[in-house]
Amino acid sequence: MVVAAQLLLSIGFAWWGFALFRAGERRLELFLLALSVVALGPLGAAGSIMMILMRNITNRFATPFDHWYASLFPWLEKDKVSELYEMIAWRGVGPASRSTVTSFRDVLTFGTVKQKQAVLTMVSDRFQSEFSPTLRLALNDSEPAIRVQAASVVARIENNFFQRSVALKRMQIQGRSDTVLHRELAQHYATYAASGLLDPGRANAAMLEALDHYAIVLAANPKDPTIVEPIVRLLLRLDRPDEAVQILKPSLTGGNISPWCAELYTESLFQLGRFADIRKFLQQHEHALRAETLNEQGRAAIGFWAQAARVRA
């Protein structure tokens, strides 16, 4: 009689839950109640009913998920001065050397919870690869709320990259194969690899994917500097300087050599250990490169190698 009563109750709870499920209402606790009655009898039923009551009580006072998630990225109130500063700063003109603006790392190290949340909100909205150290620091913060928000920011950024990859790949599958699409794919994967959010294996895979698409664009424009430069930088990151030298050679012909081309060419030769070729190259183009190079450190390096070539001669 007891066993029969347990089975009837379990079947009743299961049927009730199934009927509600078909009606569009999910009440999984009824299935749990059915299983607990079969396994533990009255004790299981009492425990399940107590759990259901506790859940209903706590749900009345719990913060809804949407409100909790929105609190991770609070809306920042700005005045006109702050908006003007951000318009200037995000365009690449950073604060002056004696400015009182605090760096993101300092805020995450010494700031309050609200200040840290504000920083992570800004990083999420305007992510750049330079912000990845800030995110890694936030992921190890002593405050649990900051760690949760940082993990949410990383997930959001990764999801944005993924959605962009899917959209571009879908266009490629649909038959579009022009150089503009391949350039967009290459830039996307190169940016993803440089984001600082990937482990070395995934970063290398993204760089190789970018190189494959850049190669298609390069075949149509062998001397295009907007293609040659990112390809060479990727090859140097992948420790393939010999290929970088071969790709740069067509851009070295002619009278005018761009400073970026000379920089990457000498960097490739340096990684290959071809120091004599560096001295010879910079001695031949010393005056032109020193005139075009705006960086004082770069001009000093050019002069050093050219002087070394003259001494050896």
Side-chain angles (χ1 to χ4, degrees), residues 3-62:
V3 173
Q6 288 184 218
L7 290 175
L8 287 175
L9 282 173
S10 299
I11 294 171
F13 286 133
W15 179 84
W16 187 12
F18 182 71
L20 291 175
F21 181 78
R22 292 189 62 182
E25 184 177 353
R26 299 184 63 181
R27 298 295 297 272
L28 299 180
E29 60 267 21
L30 293 175
F31 294 102
L32 175 63
L33 187 57
L35 290 175
S36 62
V37 169
V38 172
L40 300 173
L43 185 62
S48 297
I49 292 173
M50 185 178 297
M51 182 273 295
I52 294 170
L53 291 174
M54 291 296 296
R55 180 189 176 194
N56 291 336
I57 292 172
T58 54
N59 281 347
R60 293 183 180 181
F61 304 99

Side-chain angles (χ1 to χ4, degrees), residues 6 32 40 72 92 97 103 120 126 140 171 173 183 204 207 215 228 235 239 248 250 254-255 278 287 293 296 305:
Q6 288 184 218
L32 175 63
L40 300 173
L72 294 177
S97 59
S103 70
L120 290 175
R126 301 175 181 268
N140 296 312
M171 296 169 62
I173 292 172
R183 185 192 291 259
N204 285 345
M207 285 190 284
V228 174
L235 289 172
D239 196 21
L248 283 170
I278 297 176
H287 297 292
T293 302
E296 183 64 31
W305 283 95

Side-chain angles (χ1 to χ4, degrees), residues 159-209:
N159 183 64
N160 290 340
F161 275 114
F162 175 74
Q163 295 296 335
R164 177 64 174 164
S165 301
V166 171
L168 292 173
K169 285 292 186 181
R170 184 181 294 114
M171 296 169 62
Q172 187 179 20
I173 292 172
Q174 290 174 351
R176 181 180 167 186
S177 59
D178 54 280
T179 55
V180 175
L181 177 60
H182 286 291
R183 185 192 291 259
E184 290 180 3
L185 281 163
Q187 292 173 343
H188 171 71
Y189 282 109
T191 303
Y192 192 29
S195 65
L197 302 176
L198 304 179
D199 57 80
R202 293 173 63 198
N204 285 345
M207 285 190 284
L208 292 174
E209 186 80 17

Side-chain angles (χ1 to χ4, degrees), residues 281-293 299 302-303 306 310:
F281 173 76
L282 292 180
Q283 185 181 21
Q284 292 175 350
H285 305 281
E286 176 184 5
H287 297 292
L289 291 176
R290 292 184 71 174
E292 293 186 19
T293 302
R299 289 197 294 268
I302 292 170
R310 288 190 289 270

Side-chain angles (χ1 to χ4, degrees), residues 73-139:
F73 302 95
W75 177 259
L76 302 178
E77 296 184 1
K78 306 171 187 175
D79 54 19
K80 292 187 178 298
V81 175
S82 299
E83 291 180 358
L84 177 61
Y85 166 73
E86 283 199 10
M87 289 175 62
I88 297 172
W90 290 111
R91 287 176 182 269
V93 183
S97 59
R98 300 183 65 183
S99 172
T100 57
V101 177
T102 307
S103 70
F104 285 171
R105 293 181 65 89
D106 289 343
V107 173
L108 287 174
T109 304
F110 306 108
T112 64
V113 173
K114 288 187 176 181
Q115 290 172 337
K116 294 177 182 179
Q117 287 180 330
V119 164
L120 290 175
T121 301
M122 295 176 64
V123 169
S124 175
D125 292 340
R126 301 175 181 268
F127 177 74
Q128 301 174 19
S129 59
E130 292 82 0
F131 296 160
S132 55
T134 301
L135 280 178
R136 286 196 292 269
L137 184 63
L139 287 170

